[in-house]
Amino acid sequence: MKSFHKVRPELREWILATARAGHGVPEVLRLLKEAGYDAAQSRRAVSEVLDIPLTSLNAVAPRPSGRRPKHPEAPQVLVDDQPIRVTISVEAPALRVLDGLLSTEECEALIDAARPRLNRAMTVDNQGKQQVDAARTSRGMFFSLGETPLIATLEARLAKLLDMPVEFGEGLQVLHYLPGQEYEAHHDWFDPSQPGYSTITAKGGQRVASVVMYLNTPEEGGGTGFPAVGLTVTAQRGSAVYFAYETGEQASLHAGLPVTRGEKWIATKWLRERPFRP
């Protein structure tokens, strides 16, 4: 696979000449791919040469070829005879608020299992490694797939609800927020323009959906905000917010809003386009 850090003069001239000949951006990117260039770096080169915002080029990138989840539909979905109510439904992004996804007992058991293993919550860096990020101030931990009977039960429930095999999910993460702690606005998909994109996605492809499950009800604050939609999902024990996304889209921007009183416990499941290999 060819790559470049600075746009060479001959490549710059080729991009300009191809664009002037009437070829659109998708065609230019396709030709670069056929010539052996890395897709993410090709978008960066085209962005620089044609003076096009990189976010716009990410939006025209090919959609993932892997599996996609099935969005739960209102008013409710039955999973093993358990009714899960869809109380809010948004189409762009595909977003559903799910009531009754977990029982009170399951929420409490997850908290009890996670509490002794909490550490400063991390984010994923450009090489796919965990890093401390000032934007994320909570504490958290990960369960491996099927680690306990409870984890296996919840993973199977989500797999049936979203028509996505268990192995397409990352390990369940539990997070604990105290007053003032938050996770600033971010996207869950991996940015193809970043140098470590191929490393991160080698483990199972791009992320395609997220499920944020609320394990308790904070006394005040702690919801999940979607600024592009103008929606704040209230944290209520046993409920969850599911949302899906495409690479480069902006509508799924979201934030774990600050807890202003009490504490917040959540469990997050990220889904990939292909089976995930830790």
Side-chain angles (χ1 to χ4, degrees):
M1 181 71 69
K2 296 180 182 180
S3 64
F4 44 84
H5 298 287
K6 292 184 179 180
V7 181
R8 301 190 306 276
E10 59 270 26
L11 181 59
R12 179 181 295 274
E13 288 303 315
W14 181 89
I15 292 173
L16 287 171
T18 304
R20 288 167 183 159
H23 296 284
V25 169
E27 179 69 5
V28 174
L29 293 173
R30 184 186 67 80
L31 292 171
L32 285 169
K33 180 179 179 181
E34 290 180 354
Y37 288 102
D38 174 82
Q41 292 185 324
S42 295
R43 286 192 288 274
R44 295 175 69 179
V46 171
S47 171
E48 178 183 330
V49 173
L50 300 182
D51 194 23
I52 298 173
L54 187 58
T55 53
S56 299
L57 295 184
N58 288 338
V60 302
R63 291 187 173 189
S65 58
R67 188 157 179 160
R68 312 293 293 177
K70 179 181 178 181
H71 312 320
E73 297 299 334
Q76 72 176 25
V77 180
L78 286 175
V79 178
D80 294 334
D81 296 324
Q82 177 176 337
I84 299 171
R85 294 175 296 282
V86 181
T87 57
I88 295 178
S89 180
V90 177
E91 295 308 313
L95 181 154
R96 306 289 188 269
V97 176
L98 308 170
D99 189 20
L101 181 62
L102 290 84
S103 69
T104 297
E105 293 74 20
E106 288 171 334
C107 291
E108 292 175 348
L110 266 181
I111 292 173
D112 289 342
R115 192 188 300 274
R117 296 164 57 179
L118 294 176
N119 288 297
R120 173 68 186 269
M122 304 285 195
T123 58
V124 179
D125 67 14
N126 292 335
Q127 302 303 318
K129 298 179 180 179
Q130 298 290 312
Q131 65 175 0
V132 174
D133 190 332
R136 191 176 211 177
T137 55
S138 59
R139 300 176 72 223
M141 55 77 65
F142 279 92
F143 290 103
S144 58
L145 290 178
E147 181 174 330
T148 70
L150 174 59
I151 297 300
T153 295
L154 296 179
E155 289 170 342
R157 185 178 305 159
L158 289 171
K160 292 179 180 178
L161 175 67
L162 303 175
D163 192 26
M164 288 286 281
V166 169
E167 60 267 24
F168 281 61
E170 298 180 29
L172 192 72
Q173 183 185 42
V174 174
L175 293 169
H176 182 219
Y177 294 80
L178 294 173
Q181 293 183 328
E182 63 181 318
Y183 191 3
E184 296 175 1
H186 62 283
H187 295 98
D188 284 351
W189 45 263
F190 300 120
D191 188 347
S193 69
Q194 296 300 313
Y197 176 76
S198 59
T199 301
I200 299 172
T201 54
K203 298 179 179 181
Q206 178 66 281
R207 282 178 177 170
V208 295
S210 305
V211 185
V212 178
M213 295 161 271
Y214 304 106
L215 305 183
N216 79 316
T217 303
E219 294 181 50
E220 190 174 295
T224 305
F226 293 84
V229 184
L231 172 68
T232 296
V233 178
T234 302
Q236 296 284 341
R237 183 172 61 183
S239 68
V241 58
Y242 155 85
F243 53 101
Y245 32 81
E246 302 288 347
T247 303
E249 62 80 46
Q250 301 299 308
S252 66
L253 183 74
H254 61 287
L257 301 177
V259 177
T260 52
R261 190 170 62 182
E263 61 180 349
K264 179 177 76 170
W265 290 86
I266 64 171
T268 301
K269 169 68 75 172
W270 291 286
L271 301 177
R272 299 285 189 112
E273 61 179 329
R274 297 192 296 274
F276 177 68
R277 302 185 305 276

